[in-house]
Amino acid sequence: MGAHCGHDHAGTGLAEAEARRALAAAEAACAVDGERMTAPRRRVLDLLLRAGEPMKAYDLIARFGEDGQAAKPPTVYRALEFLERRGLAHRIASISAYVACSHGADDHAAAFLICDCCGAAREIAAPMGDGLRKAAEGAGYAIERTTIEAHGRCPECRVPA
């Protein structure tokens, strides 16, 4: 995403052992709720965990097959929908990309700091408080998920070259 950056960024994706632990935890959480972490769901989550940066759906489709074969788009989109619903992945609407949730499958409001230079995205705790929830309840609305997106420059991109 950051092809126009004039500097290197350290990879933030999970290493092999960390990714395996995260996948096992996700699979266990699904099993507790009576849901299955199917092979396509597992593969998409693995790709997101190892990427460590936002990935567009078509990049996931292209990288899906471990033998170099692309997946059929509905396979990846269904997996993404499941992972989002389970809180294992988030869609960052402003850049049409997906990231693995860095806060686990806990029910939470997601907030992202998105670098407009390199494309990095960092998930942080959303400073929601009860204000939005109470305002929504006052309007008769039940919030199911909240995602906040803030654009700017990451620390590496802020440093003069």
Side-chain angles (χ1 to χ4, degrees):
M1 291 187 85
H4 59 284
C5 262
H7 53 278
D8 292 328
H9 290 272
T12 57
L14 297 183
E16 175 91 20
E18 294 171 305
R20 275 196 313 249
R21 280 191 293 276
L23 287 167
E27 202 157 356
C30 289
V32 165
D33 293 337
E35 295 195 77
R36 289 180 359 136
M37 179 64 79
T38 63
R41 294 168 179 173
R42 184 178 178 83
R43 178 65 179 148
V44 170
L45 181 56
D46 185 49
L47 288 169
L48 292 173
L49 289 166
R50 291 173 191 266
E53 65 181 8
M55 290 188 72
K56 297 199 178 278
Y58 277 91
D59 293 329
L60 290 165
I61 291 165
R63 294 183 190 171
F64 185 85
E66 293 186 30
D67 59 357
Q69 288 288 94
K72 293 183 178 169
T75 300
V76 171
Y77 281 109
R78 280 193 296 268
L80 287 167
E81 183 276 325
F82 173 84
L83 296 171
E84 279 187 278
R85 183 173 48 80
R86 293 286 313 169
L88 297 168
H90 299 289
R91 181 174 185 273
I92 302 176
S94 63
I95 58 174
S96 297
Y98 297 84
V99 294
C101 179
S102 65
H103 290 99
D106 298 334
D107 188 21
H108 67 280
F112 291 94
L113 304 175
I114 303 158
C115 181
D116 290 328
C117 180
C118 70
R122 179 174 171 206
E123 185 176 354
I124 60 170
M128 294 298 293
D130 276 343
L132 180 59
R133 184 184 55 77
K134 286 181 180 176
E137 287 174 356
Y141 195 86
I143 295 175
E144 293 177 2
R145 24 185 189 281
T146 301
T147 304
I148 299 171
E149 301 178 22
H151 286 263
R153 294 200 178 238
C154 70
E156 289 84 7
C157 291
R158 290 185 62 198
V159 175

